[in-house]
Amino acid sequence: LVQPILDRHCITCHDGTKGERKSFDLTARVPRPFMSVPIEQSYYALRRYVRHAPIFTYFLPPLSFGSRVSPLTQTLGKGHHSVQLSLTEWQLLCSWIDCNAPYLGDYGAVAARTAR
């Protein structure tokens, strides 16, 4: 759900090539395996700017994670160059963050990715 947003708005500047802003790779290429699932570089790069709940942490203060406090949404909300997300894109991005930024949506998707 998130990669198409990155493809539309981000990869013209953040494509992983050399340069001040370009070295930040938000493309879907260059997968890196995690537990035998190939995960694109964009996920690793973007997840650093998402406040997510750490695994096995059950008691967290309010507003310690989620889209309201993530550096990604704060940067985009202030206006990151000429990026203008539609309402649907904002909702998708915030929902992804608020669901703790999962890579794959379900086990069927994991099975399909590992079968490649």
Side-chain angles (χ1 to χ4, degrees):
L1 298 174
V2 175
Q3 189 63 50
I5 297 170
L6 302 178
D7 293 344
R8 275 190 298 280
H9 298 285
C10 306
I11 63 170
T12 53
C13 291
H14 303 295
D15 64 0
T17 61
K18 294 196 185 291
E20 186 178 332
R21 293 183 304 173
K22 291 193 172 272
S23 62
F24 185 65
D25 191 357
L26 293 177
T27 64
R29 61 180 187 257
V30 192
R32 208 169 67 190
F34 176 76
M35 296 177 65
S36 75
V37 176
I39 297 178
E40 281 80 13
Q41 178 59 37
S42 60
Y43 179 78
Y44 291 109
L46 200 60
R47 183 92 188 248
R48 291 183 297 181
Y49 297 94
V50 170
R51 292 258 171 87
H52 58 282
I55 193 164
F56 302 123
T57 304
Y58 302 107
F59 300 102
L60 294 169
L63 295 176
S64 60
F65 68 96
S67 60
R68 292 192 75 186
V69 295
S70 287
L72 173 62
T73 52
Q74 291 176 356
T75 298
L76 291 173
K78 290 176 187 171
H80 182 66
H81 300 283
S82 61
V83 175
Q84 292 291 319
L85 300 181
S86 70
L87 176 60
T88 301
E89 289 169 329
W90 268 111
Q91 289 171 334
L92 282 170
L93 186 63
C94 289
S95 295
W96 172 70
I97 293 169
D98 292 339
C99 287
N100 219 28
Y103 179 69
L104 296 168
D106 59 34
Y107 292 109
V110 172
R113 300 286 278 165
T114 56
R116 288 184 188 174

